[in-house]
Amino acid sequence: MNAMSPLPEPQCANAVLMVRPREFASNPQTKASNAIQRFDEAPPADQAQREALTQFEALVAALRDAGVTVVVVDDDPSVWTPDAVFPNNWFSTHADGRFVLYPMLAPNRRAERRADVYERALPAAGFAVEQVIDLSAHEAQDVFLEGTGSLVLDRVHRVAYGCRSARTHDRAAEEFSRVLGYEVVLFDAHDPEGAEIYHTNVMMAMGEQFVVICSDAIVEADRNAVLARLEATGRDIIEISQLQLASFAGNVLELSVAGRKNVLAMSQSAHDAFSASQMARLARLAQPLAVDISTIELCSGGSVRCMLAEIHLPQRGEA
């Protein structure tokens, strides 16, 4: 695998790719590794799909109204991918034109990886894909790394933070580090019942000038080192509780908008979970943009950030 020299890139993208749900439902293959997923409370699949589609379209509209570029692709009708609405787990993009594919734990999530996204949809939207890096071979050894769910990227300082879990393995993170040129900071984190935090991006969000983090979830042996590494970046560290984590306050994403204040995309449940003082600190740095996606959250244990695959690729002709 040939490594390219990484290019500097901003923390926040101004464009995202989203996948319109077709058969959204609570996924039995992810239940065991996702303690936030309320599988037993999920509505019937047909109702879940109707509500998820409505919520998806509302998020697309809100982002576009705020000035964010949104590339929408439809879910593949040839396979059953109930979690396809969360594309950030199977790919990430980078300013040097690299498109990275990741190893996924659930077999039915592996089918979400689609060549047409990087061969047709993104080029058609004006973005240049210069190299595809495929880490998915790790699946054969039951080694997984689920994209920017598993790794929260400080793109400016090239540091990737990841909490180990069934979906985030050291070996795959080490290859990411070698190929992408990131320092990887791995740690262990658990919910109040002792279950692993399944994805780092439910407990941590990296903005241009802030970090949202539930450091209470990080085991004591790792906590101070993680916080020290974050403090060294000069960002405002906004601590959230385990209860706020469960309401997806950590699953937010800052996006840039040309000529306007950045926006901070989040669900309505996340918005309502922040305290007034926390929201005031965030709002000084980015305009909160909250959309109700309660059915998606209930059925899948994922929220707005998981639905947004950032596009950091160069424009065609600029690569």
Side-chain angles (χ1 to χ4, degrees), residues 49-109:
Q49 166 59 22
R50 288 196 305 272
E51 294 176 358
L53 182 59
T54 298
Q55 293 168 12
F56 173 89
E57 299 294 0
L59 179 57
V60 171
L63 289 167
R64 286 175 171 166
D65 286 349
V68 177
T69 297
V70 182
V71 178
V72 175
V73 298
D74 290 321
D75 188 13
D76 184 351
S78 68
V79 289
W80 184 61
T81 48
D83 282 327
V85 74
F86 301 128
N88 85 303
N89 297 145
W90 69 264
F91 80 88
S92 66
T93 64
H94 303 269
D96 51 17
R98 288 187 285 187
F99 186 104
V100 185
L101 299 165
Y102 292 91
M104 310 277 282
L105 172 62
N108 64 13
R109 294 215 63 193

Side-chain angles (χ1 to χ4, degrees), residues 127-145:
F127 298 100
V129 177
E130 298 298 318
Q131 182 184 19
V132 176
I133 296 172
D134 190 352
L135 305 181
S136 64
H138 285 285
E139 290 168 354
Q141 287 77 46
D142 292 329
V143 169
F144 310 108
L145 188 72

